[in-house]
Every structure is written in structure tokens, then in C-alpha cells.
């Protein structure tokens, strides 16, 4: 058995790699990188194995903005957001009993991706997403009822926001639909 040198740089995790890819895409969306630069740096990020190599691929990008999580909560009753409102990068929705209705169709979304964490006990939840959004519900655990979501059949525009829905639902049902307009 050979010993590894003590000064060997730490290896990166898949979460580190995913965060770097997300950061590059956001920098591209904000106009800090050209398309060829994005392609080159994505290739670098996907090939590196250590933290210093990853730092080189992310060099010259603007400093990351601190991501805060906004929380909407209610023990019982109804949680509803609709109309024009600003969606944070991370949104946590907590309800023990009651209905949740989030309409993102006319919202202001300044990020390339939005993470919505649901912590629901009982009751229904309905989320309306923008027409061109890409929705990922792989991180959502449901207890009793299934999630209803049919991706849109219309071709999506390439700049659609990615919405990642995670968390847990006890005895309720989640319905996700794309806005018609």
C-alpha cells in the first residue's frame, strides 16, 4: 500500500462540479461569458478533479452573490402567491395543514435556476410555472399521493428557467402545470 502525499490537493465532489456548472451558466446568462468561453470552461469543469483546477476554470468570474433562502410558512390555512412578485433563488414553503398555491407565470425570476423546497404535511399544492420552464421533481418525496406533472409538448425556448422542486409531502397531492401564455 502506498501513502498519498500529504500536500495533495483535495478532490472535488459531484456537488462541487454541479455548483460550478450552475455558476458558469449563470455567468453566461448575465453576459459575463461568450458562448465559446462557456463551452471551453464547461469542458474544463467536467474534466477537473481537484479544487485548484476547478478554481482555474472559474477564474475571472464575478464574485458569487450570497444565496439566501426565503421561507413562506403557515401552520394551517392557505398559502398563496400569484401575480407579479420576485422569486428568490431558493424558496422554502412550509405548511402543516392547508393548501399551497404558487403561480410563477407572471413573476420576476432573475436566476437561471430556482430551488423550491416543499415541507408539507397534509393538503394540496399547485404550482404554475412559466411556459418555457424546465421542471425537475426528482428530489421530492411523496407519502400518500403521487405528483401530477406532464411536461409541456411545445418546444421550449432555450433560455427557460430551471425549477428544481424538492422536499417532502405527507398526505397531499402536488400538481404542476405550465402557464398557457
Amino acid at each position: 500500500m502506498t501513502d498519498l502525499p500529504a500536500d495533495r490537493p483535495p478532490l472535488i465532489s459531484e456537488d462541487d462540479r454541479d455548483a460550478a456548472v450552475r455558476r458558469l451558466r449563470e455567468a453566461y446568462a448575465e453576459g459575463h461569458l461568450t458562448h465559446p468561453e462557456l463551452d471551453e470552461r464547461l469542458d474544463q469543469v467536467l474534466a477537473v478533479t481537484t479544487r485548484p483546477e476547478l478554481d482555474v476554470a472559474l477564474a475571472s468570474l464575478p464574485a458569487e452573490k450570497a444565496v439566501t433562502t426565503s421561507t413562506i410558512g403557515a401552520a394551517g390555512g392557505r398559502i398563496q402567491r400569484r401575480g407579479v412578485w420576485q422569486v428568490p433563488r431558493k424558496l422554502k414553503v412550509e405548511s402543516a395543514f392547508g393548501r399551497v398555491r404558487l403561480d410563477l407565470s407572471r413573476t420576476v425570476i432573475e436566476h437561471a435556476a430556482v430551488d423550491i423546497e416543499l415541507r408539507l404535511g397534509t393538503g394540496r399544492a399547485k404550482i404554475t410555472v412559466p411556459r418555457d420552464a424546465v421542471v425537475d421533481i426528482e428530489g421530492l418525496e411523496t407519502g400518500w399521493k403521487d405528483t401530477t406533472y406532464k411536461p409541456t409538448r411545445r418546444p421550449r425556448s432555450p433560455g427557460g428557467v430551471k425549477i428544481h422542486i424538492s422536499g417532502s409531502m405527507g398526505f397531499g397531492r402536488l400538481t404542476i402545470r405550465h402557464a398557457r401564455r
Side-chain angles (χ1 to χ4, degrees):
M1 181 174 178
T2 57
D3 292 321
L4 295 174
D7 61 344
R8 183 174 178 192
L11 298 176
I12 60 170
S13 68
E14 285 304 310
D15 289 339
D16 293 333
R17 191 180 312 279
D18 291 344
V21 168
R22 200 171 25 253
R23 188 165 172 214
L24 287 171
R25 287 182 177 162
E26 287 176 1
Y28 173 72
E30 292 170 0
H32 299 290
L33 295 174
T34 65
H35 191 78
E37 289 172 326
L38 174 67
D39 287 342
E40 179 182 328
R41 290 191 190 206
L42 283 173
D43 288 343
Q44 281 180 313
V45 165
L46 296 174
V48 300
T49 57
T50 65
R51 172 62 60 188
E53 292 170 328
L54 187 62
D55 292 342
V56 168
L58 300 176
S60 79
L61 292 180
E64 273 187 284
K65 298 174 188 170
V67 176
T68 58
T69 301
S70 296
T71 303
I72 303 171
R78 187 177 291 185
I79 294 175
Q80 184 168 303
R81 294 287 185 271
R82 63 181 181 181
V84 179
W85 57 286
Q86 187 163 357
V87 179
R89 170 71 179 84
K90 292 188 176 194
L91 177 64
K92 186 174 186 177
V93 180
E94 300 175 335
S95 177
F97 310 101
R99 292 183 182 178
V100 173
R101 171 92 165 88
L102 298 177
D103 185 347
L104 307 178
S105 63
R106 297 188 321 166
T107 58
V108 176
I109 301 175
E110 296 178 343
H111 310 282
V114 172
D115 294 324
I116 300 175
E117 181 183 349
L118 299 175
R119 295 285 174 208
L120 308 178
T122 62
R124 295 177 181 221
K126 183 176 182 181
I127 301 175
T128 303
V129 298
R131 184 175 172 175
D132 61 348
V134 177
V135 180
D136 172 20
I137 58 173
E138 291 298 316
L140 182 66
E141 298 174 12
T142 57
W144 189 52
K145 299 267 187 168
D146 289 330
T147 299
T148 305
Y149 172 60
K150 283 197 283 188
T152 183
R153 288 185 280 175
R154 294 184 187 108
R156 293 185 183 108
S157 64
V161 65
K162 181 171 183 181
I163 299 174
H164 176 73
I165 300 174
S166 63
S168 63
M169 295 186 63
F171 296 101
R173 171 174 285 161
L174 172 62
T175 302
I176 303 167
R177 72 175 188 90
H178 288 266
R180 293 185 186 134
R181 25 183 166 92

